[in-house]
């Protein structure tokens, strides 16, 4: 999503630069850019699981998580604080809302899906 926005912003800039041919170059680059303050956000719990947790937890580096009816509160705690070989993840990496969805997802999803 963010990548698309960046591409759009670049496209808009290129277009602005083309349209502005004949104007001083500085003016072309002074064109307002698309706002980029939109924060990165995970789509849902399944996305975080597949793109982060699965790297270890589907490859036998870490123990299996799904299909064990693990308590979502326990999952959130382990993710935030780590546990021995399990790394901790900060809010800037997995925001609170995504972590909540992730914990629900892991807790409720059967092992093979
Ligand atoms: C770099 C590899 C790695 C990644 C990435 C990783 N884990 Fe882990 N995780 C581990 C390892 C290794 C353990 C076992 C820790 C130990 O007991 O030494 C573990 C343990 C856990 C446990 C405790 C399991 C139990 O049986 O009590 C939970 C819960 C957990 N991880 C959740 C997650 C979640 C959720 C994610 C994704 C945000 C994640 N982990 C990403 C390596 C990883």
């Amino acid at each position: 999503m963010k990548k698309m926005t960046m591409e759009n912003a670049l496209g808009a800039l290129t277009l602005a630069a083309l349209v502005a041919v004949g104007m001083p170059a500085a003016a072309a680059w002074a064109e307002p850019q698309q706002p980029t303050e939109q924060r990165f956000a995970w789509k849902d719990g399944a996305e975080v699981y597949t793109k982060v947790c699965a790297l270890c937890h589907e490859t036998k580096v870490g123990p299996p998580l799904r299909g064990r009816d693990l308590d979502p509160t326990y999952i959130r705690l382990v993710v935030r604080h780590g546990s021995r070989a399990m790394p901790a993840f900060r809010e800037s990496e997995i925001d609170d809302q995504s972590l909540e969805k992730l914990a629900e997802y892991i807790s409720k999803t059967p092992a093979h899906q």
Side-chain angles (χ1 to χ4, degrees), residues 48 52-53 56-57 61-63 65 68 70 74-75 78-79 83-87 89 94 102 106:
V48 188
V52 183
C53 321
C56 292
H57 288 280
V61 174
L65 300 176
R68 288 176 53 201
L70 287 174
Y74 170 68
I75 297 172
V78 173
V79 170
S83 166
R84 295 183 290 182
M86 160 75 195
F89 293 86
I94 303 171
L102 171 67
I106 290 172

Side-chain angles (χ1 to χ4, degrees), residues 29-108:
W29 289 105
E31 286 287 316
Q33 292 185 11
Q34 272 186 6
T36 51
E37 79 281 350
Q38 201 179 5
R39 281 189 59 198
F40 176 78
W42 295 98
K43 202 167 49 180
D44 53 23
E47 188 191 28
V48 188
Y49 181 80
T50 338
K51 293 196 172 160
V52 183
C53 321
L55 296 180
C56 292
H57 288 280
E58 293 290 326
T59 54
K60 296 193 160 58
V61 174
L65 300 176
R66 297 186 301 178
R68 288 176 53 201
D69 203 20
L70 287 174
D71 183 350
T73 307
Y74 170 68
I75 297 172
R76 295 207 310 260
L77 203 79
V78 173
V79 170
R80 275 289 176 259
H81 301 280
S83 166
R84 295 183 290 182
M86 160 75 195
F89 293 86
R90 293 165 295 185
E91 227 236 298
S92 54
E93 292 155 337
I94 303 171
D95 58 282
D96 283 340
Q97 215 185 350
S98 300
L99 179 54
E100 214 161 291
K101 288 191 235 164
L102 171 67
E104 285 295 319
Y105 168 81
I106 290 172
S107 175
K108 297 203 171 118

